[in-house]
């Protein structure tokens, strides 16, 4: 049978249907051996969510559906539906260059090229070689926003969390619902992942177990090994697990939409920064203040580095003086010319899947590669320290254990 495992909106978003588009129950039972597809339709096809409802977080909704036996909850397969106005369909894009490039995408967001860092040898220039004429998303998978200029945009920019090599997402903190919009449970700030369909398992498992249990978070085990018990080298870039008809390395377990994939390390090489500032002056020593929105600029030869600070009083778990994130500009001082916004979303903890908004100073997005064949770590674009005074560090090739829950930002295939 097919069913909605969880969704992050308190409304019915999809309805399962048969091949004639006639409505069925809130699940589908497969009674014939020749069933090959799961059919569904949007309840609100024009707006994604009902405009009269004020409880939803954004115009984006995330739903995970699965197919399982009627007798047990071991899923044969599951799919993440990212319903968004940001089109994830591949389109014809403008030819890229080695320099910075930005292109409007579906009148909702952008697709981007970051360019190469100065002094890189030819074999490490990802934008000139591996990703020539390719663009990266301006947001994380599952996010409703790319900009982080205020708290509401920040909260909608978080998106989904993934353990490295897995296709199934874990949501941000908050309530989760069934297909009818009835609450299943809640993921609380700073506590081990649990509630509704979610659970925690502290041991290595084979990939088949991970597929059967898409909502189980595999915590750090006593033997200091990756979550997957078999060889874990290229789950997201494996030539044995190609997407049908493709020869570009995207595997069945890549969580990206069709036409996209988890990027290689190196696309963020231009962003290597190590900045220090204090709360009363900008990078040029001029007085600054925490108004409704403050932007501290750090001009650089390869794009301007800027930090977004909010002085809004406590709103949920965002407090006065919190840094929401940072951005890179092609033209210093032009807030309309930002080609990359990255927020301090935090990570789901390697030990128990907990996500604490009060400890968001370690954030990032995954790449598709391990640090080395014998390593238990994988590369991710990492940025540290969200506090408004101190050292801000960006590591274009940070490393993390596979158990960490980290976001994904995809690139064109």
């Amino acid at each position: 049978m097919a069913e909605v495992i969880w969704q992050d909106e308190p409304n019915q978003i999809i309805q399962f249907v048969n091949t004639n588009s006639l409505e069925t129950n809130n699940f589908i039972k497969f009674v014939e051996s020749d069933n090959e597809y799961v059919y569904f339709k949007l309840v609100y096809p024009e707006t994604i969510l009902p405009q009269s409802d004020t409880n939803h977080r954004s115009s984006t909704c995330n739903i995970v559906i699965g197919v399982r036996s009627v007798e047990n909850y071991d899923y044969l397969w599951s799919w993440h539906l990212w319903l968004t106005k940001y089109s994830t369909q591949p389109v014809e894009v403008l030819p890229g260059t080695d320099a910075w490039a930005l292109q409007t995408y579906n009148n909702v967001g952008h697709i981007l090229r970051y360019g190469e860092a100065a002094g890189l040898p030819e074999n490490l220039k990802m934008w000139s070689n591996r990703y020539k004429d390719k663009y990266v998303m301006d947001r994380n998978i599952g996010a409703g926003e790319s900009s982080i200029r205020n708290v509401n945009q920040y909260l909608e920019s978080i998106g989904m969390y993934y353990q490295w090599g897995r296709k199934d997402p874990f949501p941000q903190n908050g309530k989760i619902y069934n297909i009818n919009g009835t609450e299943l449970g809640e993921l609380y700030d700073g506590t081990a992942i649990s509630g509704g369909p979610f659970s925690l398992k502290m041991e290595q498992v084979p990939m088949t177990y991970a597929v059967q249990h898409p909502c189980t978070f595999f915590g750090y085990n006593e033997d200091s090994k990756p979550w997957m018990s078999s060889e874990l080298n290229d789950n997201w870039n494996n030539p044995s697990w190609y997407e049908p008809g493709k020869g570009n390395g995207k595997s069945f377990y890549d969580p990206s939409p069709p036409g996209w994939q988890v990027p290689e390390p190196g696309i963020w090489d231009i962003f290597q920064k190590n900045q220090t500032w204090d709360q009363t002056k900008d990078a040029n020593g001029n007085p600054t203040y925490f108004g409704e929105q403050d932007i501290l600029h750090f001009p650089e030869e390869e794009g301007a580095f800027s930090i977004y600070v909010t002085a809004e009083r406590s709103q949920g778990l965002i407090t006065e003086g919190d840094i929401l994130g940072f951005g890179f500009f092609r033209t210093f001082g032009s807030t309309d010319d930002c080609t990359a916004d990255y927020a301090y979303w935090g990570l789901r903890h390697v030990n128990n899947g907990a996500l604490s908004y009060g400890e968001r100073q370690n954030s990032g997005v995954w790449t598709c590669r391990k640090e080395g064949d014998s390593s238990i770590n994988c590369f991710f674009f990492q940025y540290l320290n969200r506090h408004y005074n101190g050292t801000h560090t960006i590591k274009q090739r940070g490393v993390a254990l596979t158990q960490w829950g980290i976001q994904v930002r995809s690139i064109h295939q």
Side-chain angles (χ1 to χ4, degrees), residues 57 150-152 154-155 158 161 172-175 186-191 310-324 344-346 348 354-361 386-387:
R57 282 178 287 203
N150 58 55
V151 171
N152 288 333
Y154 167 86
L155 292 174
I158 297 175
Y161 291 83
Q172 58 180 288
N173 291 338
K175 294 179 179 179
E186 184 170 359
L187 301 180
Y188 292 97
D189 181 67
T191 61
T310 179
E312 298 180 39
R313 297 294 175 180
S314 179
Q315 178 175 338
L317 296 167
I318 311 300
T319 58
E320 181 179 7
D322 273 1
I323 290 176
L324 301 181
Y344 283 105
W345 306 286
R348 286 209 169 274
L355 174 62
S356 175
Y357 288 130
E359 299 177 358
R360 301 190 313 277
Q361 55 266 40
R386 70 182 181 87
H387 301 296

Side-chain angles (χ1 to χ4, degrees), residues 2-206:
E3 64 184 358
V4 167
I5 304 175
W6 64 267
Q7 64 183 45
D8 60 6
E9 291 296 338
N11 305 284
Q12 184 166 7
I13 307 301
I14 67 170
Q15 174 68 60
F16 288 111
V17 297
N18 58 28
T19 55
N20 297 318
S21 296
L22 300 176
E23 295 183 5
T24 66
N25 295 316
N26 290 337
F27 56 86
I28 295 179
K29 284 188 176 180
F30 298 109
V31 295
E32 299 178 1
S33 60
D34 59 351
N35 286 110
E36 296 180 353
Y37 299 97
V38 176
Y39 295 95
F40 63 89
K41 66 180 181 180
L42 293 176
V43 176
Y44 304 96
E46 299 300 323
T47 60
I48 298 181
L49 295 175
Q51 293 180 339
S52 60
D53 176 44
T54 59
N55 294 321
H56 63 263
R57 282 178 287 203
S58 69
S59 59
T60 291
C61 177
N62 293 279
I63 304 173
V64 173
I65 63 175
V67 174
R68 65 174 176 86
S69 167
V70 176
E71 288 76 25
N72 61 60
Y73 281 85
D74 289 348
Y75 288 92
L76 300 176
W77 199 256
S78 54
W79 297 265
H80 170 216
L81 309 180
W82 178 19
L83 306 182
T84 173
K85 293 179 180 178
Y86 180 76
S87 174
T88 57
Q89 294 300 313
V91 297
E92 182 179 354
V93 298
L94 299 176
T97 67
D98 292 342
W100 292 70
L102 174 147
Q103 182 176 334
T104 301
Y105 193 59
N106 198 41
N107 296 318
V108 174
H110 298 90
I111 49 178
L112 317 164
R113 286 176 60 83
Y114 298 149
E116 311 287 11
L120 279 178
E122 285 299 318
N123 65 321
L124 294 182
K125 291 183 177 181
M126 298 300 295
W127 291 105
S128 305
N129 299 303
R130 175 71 171 86
Y131 295 126
K132 183 176 177 59
D133 298 335
K134 304 296 184 182
Y135 285 73
V136 68
M137 290 182 179
D138 69 353
R139 65 197 66 199
N140 299 334
I141 294 179
E145 269 285 354
S146 61
S147 178
I148 52 173
R149 309 305 170 81
N150 58 55
V151 171
N152 288 333
Q153 288 179 332
Y154 167 86
L155 292 174
E156 293 186 7
S157 74
I158 297 175
M160 299 290 101
Y161 291 83
Y162 294 86
Q163 293 190 288
W164 191 88
R166 298 186 67 183
K167 63 182 180 62
D168 296 298
F170 294 89
Q172 58 180 288
N173 291 338
K175 294 179 179 179
I176 50 174
Y177 307 89
N178 66 12
I179 190 173
N180 295 316
T182 302
E183 183 179 338
L184 290 174
E186 184 170 359
L187 301 180
Y188 292 97
D189 181 67
T191 61
I193 193 165
S194 64
F198 295 102
S199 61
L200 176 66
K201 190 176 184 67
M202 305 296 291
E203 59 185 81
Q204 277 196 312
V205 298

Side-chain angles (χ1 to χ4, degrees), residues 62 96 116 174-175 214 248 250 259 290 311 380 412:
N62 293 279
E116 311 287 11
K175 294 179 179 179
N248 51 21
K250 181 179 180 180
F290 289 142
F380 77 115
H412 273 130

